[in-house]
Amino acid sequence: MEGTFCVQGIGSRPRLHVSADGAGVVGHAGTRLLADLADVTRLTSAYSTALRPLRPRGAGHDPGRIATDLVVMLADGGEAIADLAVLRDQGEVFGPVASTPTAWRLLAAVDERVLARLRSARAQAREVAWLQASETRCGIPAAKAGGREVPGLVLDIDATLIICHSEKEAAAPTYKGGFGFHPLLCFLANTGEGMSGRLRPGNAGANTAADHIAVLDDALAQIPDAHRHGTDILVRTDSAGSAKAFLTHVRNLRTRGIRTFFSVGYAITEPVRRAIRALPEQVWHPALDQDGTLRESAEVAELTGTVDLAGYPAGTRIIVRRERPHPGAQLSLFDQDEGLRHQVILTDTPFTSGSAQFLEVRHRGHATVEDHIRCGKTTGFGRFPSRRFPVNAAWLELSLAAIDLLAWTRVLLLDDELAAVEPKKLRYRLLHVAARITRGGRRLRLRISATWPWRHELAAAFHRLAALPRPAS
């Protein structure tokens, strides 16, 4: 088009003159919330007791405090031990923080016995946090599926690959052609807490029953006694957890007073294919979405009694879902022949406790573990700092504690949208906020900017933290 035209002026930002001589200003001020929560839940003191034998005689930083500072740093989004500098260089807010070499020496001193004590310390802190949740909130929230609450606790177990670009001890080629570690992890679906994890070589099997049993037992040891006994505990895994030895272990835990049930993926073998083909159309029922509405072009049917499940715990049910595949879905030859995608699960939930429709959508909620793993990789275990395997195993344990600390923050101190956000958004809105330090009336004040959009939420979280009941010494 011919003619003349005008370009409106683009609004310019104010001119700035930058200098490095500021005083009384701190960054990551909201992270002090995590440090105080670690103290209030007694995580710091439990770590101090667990690591007391590692403290040099007479002086030095308390090892428990060093471990807590590492946990806070990881929860804040730090990726390396050197990132402790963010806390250390702001002593007015975080107090004395150990040097990087001191933190390295602590991690290097952690062996299997010390690692077990760290896990026990975290379990003690969890008990305090859950008691505080029951006294100040409505306790531990229920997981949800199909528009309903799932009774009790839900543990999700899954493995992930961590790529390492250096020759770290026990790193190995992975089944995807990479190189690194293959940790197996367990998360609590109710809150997102990182219950347990085992660091394994990259070539560790995905369906190793012994590893699943070890991770599950570690996770159960994290659950306070009042919840571990007398509460239904659902254990969910993908098909890697369908080994008969693992499911038998889940069932046998009931003899110890632990009411465990399983819901696991199952491979579509030739007998399963024959059973699916033999199902009459009238036994298929509409599948559900997580909000309880009907899932488009998806149906569920019970296969129990049509497939030989010899060797599996008595009462094991087998359920299948079929649906039209979305574009790009990976299909087996059987799926291609049928024109539908099929997925099968095993569960020992009794017929009186759930329809096939509900149990299938309940199992599909296991997919949230992938979100927990993704967030966990930004909270420490996305990279490992050392060439030595024991140091990296200790790092994984501290990373799980950092995940717990973020989960307890959401459960105990936050409301509405912030009570459900992922760590990245929590850091952006609350933890990484800048503030000004002032003194007056014998008080040290942390003054958040009056224009920060989430200032009231952060201030309210600090007030709730101050009001949390303290356990008796």
Side-chain angles (χ1 to χ4, degrees), residues 21 49 68 96 112 115 140 156 160 173 257 268 281 304 325 395 468:
D21 55 358
T49 301
T68 299
E112 279 296 327
L115 192 58
I140 298 302
D156 285 317
T160 188
I268 300 182
E281 281 300 313
T304 307
W395 185 264
L468 285 178

Side-chain angles (χ1 to χ4, degrees), residues 381-462:
F381 66 73
R383 55 185 297 179
F384 290 95
S386 177
R387 290 180 178 272
R388 294 187 54 213
F389 187 82
V391 173
N392 292 330
W395 185 264
L396 174 59
E397 172 59 26
L398 295 181
S399 176
L400 293 173
I403 294 167
D404 285 348
L405 205 54
L406 291 170
W408 299 339
T409 299
R410 291 190 295 266
V411 170
L412 294 171
L413 307 179
L414 302 177
D415 284 323
D416 303 325
E417 180 192 3
L418 285 176
V421 297
E422 292 187 350
K424 182 178 180 180
K425 185 174 289 188
L426 190 64
R427 293 170 187 137
Y428 182 81
R429 294 187 173 186
L430 298 186
L431 302 186
H432 293 175
V433 64
R436 188 161 57 92
I437 290 284
T438 63
R439 289 180 173 81
R442 296 182 179 180
R443 288 186 176 181
L444 187 67
R445 297 179 182 273
L446 190 66
R447 308 184 78 92
I448 305 163
S449 171
T451 61
W452 187 249
W454 300 281
R455 60 195 181 280
H456 297 304
E457 288 84 348
L458 181 55
F462 273 106

Side-chain angles (χ1 to χ4, degrees), residues 30 35 95 132 159 162 181 221 245 258 301 310:
Q132 290 168 335
I162 308 295
F181 296 115
I258 304 175

